[in-house]
Amino acid sequence: TAGITQAPTSQILAAGRSMTLRCTQDMRHNAMYWYRQDLGLGLRLIHYSNTAGTTGKGEVPDGYSVSRANTDDFPLTLASAVPSQTSVYFCASSDSVGHEGYGYTFGSGTRLTVV
Amino acid sequence: GQNIDQPTEMTATEGAIVQINCTYQTSGFNGLFWYQQHAGEAPTFLSYNVLDGLEEKGRFSSFLSRSKGYSYLLLKELQMKDSASYLCAVVDSNYQLIWGAGTKLIIKP
């Protein structure tokens, strides 16, 4: 089934450790995004990539880094995790930056707990 | 700043009609999305409005008034499976999506 695969599904991480959340899509979408979703808040954009080889900062980029070496993969790295990074992380993709009404396709999410 | 406002929670009865409102103040406007998100799952696309008016899609309809910065999602013939959060998102002038916090809809038998 075409779509976005995120791994792991959930993780408990000790504060100060590093971790990479994986995201792979097979739809050949140009644009990819990482969001975090916290209770009572809307989805907040961490980083985005409009096309392979380029990345940009979103609303809440501090403490996170991304890379986009190819079209399909868009990993998110936490260099040194802190408890405030406890959240549900969603990866998403879209066919074009302008969306053209088709919106985003989301992965199933990674639930991360930093202790 | 940019802001999307939606009610936090609504309750409705199975078989009834419910309207979920969304107001927005954003830097530019290039369209408005509604997404459905069941608990513990990813958001899924429901509708997209870029012109004023009503877009109907089965039991769900979405309305937009750009001059008022206002949209609503109308759900008819409510079913228990419609219990979910409904997210409003606006595409701003930089083609970034600005998300509301979502409205949790509870359907009672």
Side-chain angles (χ1 to χ4, degrees):
Chain A
T1 304
I4 295 181
T5 301
Q6 288 186 238
T9 303
S10 65
Q11 182 75 45
I12 298 174
L13 185 68
R17 299 294 295 270
S18 66
M19 179 176 180
T20 295
L21 280 62
R22 300 184 298 279
C23 174
T24 300
Q25 55 111 351
D26 61 3
M27 299 170 287
R28 309 302 293 172
H29 282 176
N30 286 316
M32 296 188 75
Y33 312 86
W34 273 106
Y35 284 95
R36 60 178 290 172
Q37 187 175 40
D38 302 289
L39 194 64
L41 300 176
L43 287 160
R44 292 184 292 169
L45 183 65
I46 304 171
H47 285 286
Y48 65 93
S49 170
N50 289 336
T51 189
T54 69
T55 62
K57 294 182 179 180
E59 179 186 357
V60 288
D62 294 343
Y64 307 95
S65 63
V66 292
S67 62
R68 186 87 184 278
N70 56 62
T71 297
D72 298 343
D73 300 300
F74 191 44
L76 176 74
T77 297
L78 288 68
S80 179
V82 295
S84 61
Q85 292 178 308
T86 294
S87 187
V88 180
Y89 291 85
F90 286 104
C91 180
S93 71
S94 65
D95 191 36
S96 68
V97 173
H99 308 299
E100 298 175 346
Y102 297 109
Y104 289 2
T105 299
F106 283 85
S108 56
T110 295
R111 185 174 298 275
L112 178 65
T113 303
V114 181
V115 296
Chain B
Q2 309 203 88
N3 195 48
I4 311 285
D5 286 316
Q6 310 178 231
T8 301
E9 186 175 296
M10 300 181 69
T11 302
T13 304
E14 190 177 14
I17 299 173
V18 70
Q19 178 175 311
I20 302 174
N21 295 326
C22 171
T23 58
Y24 61 89
Q25 301 90 38
T26 57
S27 58
F29 178 86
N30 284 298
L32 184 145
F33 288 95
W34 283 97
Y35 279 78
Q36 180 189 60
Q37 185 177 25
H38 285 101
E41 298 182 10
T44 55
F45 171 82
L46 284 179
S47 68
Y48 173 73
N49 295 68
V50 66
L51 299 177
D52 290 349
L54 187 68
E55 296 275 347
E56 297 187 73
K57 191 185 297 184
R59 293 189 300 113
F60 292 7
S61 302
S62 56
F63 171 83
L64 174 67
S65 169
R66 289 172 295 171
S67 63
K68 295 182 179 179
Y70 168 70
S71 173
Y72 67 73
L73 181 68
L74 189 71
L75 291 74
K76 303 176 184 177
E77 302 170 13
L78 285 170
Q79 302 175 9
M80 297 303 293
K81 68 178 181 180
D82 297 330
S83 292
S85 289
Y86 292 86
L87 313 181
C88 174
V90 172
V91 186
D92 71 8
S93 56
N94 294 318
Y95 291 96
Q96 298 289 349
L97 260 66
I98 310 301
W99 295 83
T103 298
K104 182 178 180 180
L105 178 63
I106 300 168
I107 309 298
K108 295 185 175 180

